[in-house]
Amino acid sequence: WVHDNVTYNVTTQPQRLRENQRVNHFPNHVELTRKDLLAKNVKRAKRQAEKDGADPSEFDFIPKTYVLPGEGQMLLREVREKGGTWIMKPIGRAQGTGIFLVNKVKQIEDWLKRRGTEAAENKLSDDYVCQRYVDDPYLVDDRKFDMRIYVLVLSYQP
């Protein structure tokens, strides 16, 4: 099993796997497995569906998402106009590390300012995704949960 992308170079002899070998990642699989890139690709697919005359609501399976700091001004506009609670998640971490909730414009402005200062001082700082928080989630025994579903994908085309 590999945990990195396998290089596929069409100009040289193609790589061949032995009968007993399997590759468990597609080339560029991070386009679907990283929070920010998944959001980018879902937005792209939704725009393409609109262009093709298909139903874009098929891509409404994730909450409204902004990638920060790049889309910070769009997020601020949305929060000013519609309010609500938003969840901030670092793109490169897992298991809840670095996650926090915001519900005021000032909180987001302060975070963006701190983030800019850290970048200017060459400190390591993660980019984040910010999504509209689901205020009334489905609970099991009064607890939030997530569901991991594993599927075999034979191919994909974002």
Side-chain angles (χ1 to χ4, degrees), residues 59-72:
F59 298 96
D60 290 341
F61 56 87
I62 63 172
K64 187 119 181 164
T65 303
Y66 295 94
V67 180
L68 304 177
E71 297 177 337

Side-chain angles (χ1 to χ4, degrees), residues 63-79:
K64 187 119 181 164
T65 303
Y66 295 94
V67 180
L68 304 177
E71 297 177 337
Q73 295 306 311
M74 289 185 283
L75 171 64
L76 288 169
R77 186 177 328 117
E78 177 88 10
V79 175

Side-chain angles (χ1 to χ4, degrees), residues 35-36 65-70 87-93 97-100 111 115 125-130:
K35 297 173 189 85
D36 60 332
T65 303
Y66 295 94
V67 180
L68 304 177
I87 185 166
M88 303 273 291
K89 302 185 245 182
I91 62 167
R93 297 191 203 167
T97 305
I99 293 176
F100 59 96
W111 182 86
R115 171 65 170 65
S125 55
D126 293 322
D127 287 350
Y128 272 65
V129 294
C130 185

Side-chain angles (χ1 to χ4, degrees), residues 102-142:
V102 295
N103 56 14
K104 296 181 177 91
V105 170
K106 177 98 169 90
Q107 292 171 301
I108 299 166
E109 289 173 338
D110 290 348
W111 182 86
L112 287 167
K113 186 176 180 181
R114 270 193 319 275
R115 171 65 170 65
T117 302
E118 289 171 357
E121 294 173 353
N122 289 325
K123 292 182 181 175
L124 288 177
S125 55
D126 293 322
D127 287 350
Y128 272 65
V129 294
C130 185
Q131 295 178 312
R132 184 171 289 284
Y133 187 71
V134 179
D135 288 314
D136 189 21
Y138 182 75
L139 303 175
V140 173
D141 291 331
D142 293 324

Side-chain angles (χ1 to χ4, degrees), residues 23-77:
V23 176
N24 67 338
H25 287 86
F26 283 101
N28 298 321
H29 62 89
V30 296
E31 293 286 328
L32 296 176
T33 58
R34 226 176 72 179
K35 297 173 189 85
D36 60 332
L37 298 178
L38 175 62
K40 174 193 78 167
N41 286 308
V42 169
K43 287 177 187 178
R44 180 186 298 156
K46 188 172 185 171
R47 281 192 310 271
Q48 187 63 45
E50 289 169 345
K51 187 191 279 188
D52 294 344
D55 182 10
S57 68
E58 291 182 20
F59 298 96
D60 290 341
F61 56 87
I62 63 172
K64 187 119 181 164
T65 303
Y66 295 94
V67 180
L68 304 177
E71 297 177 337
Q73 295 306 311
M74 289 185 283
L75 171 64
L76 288 169
R77 186 177 328 117

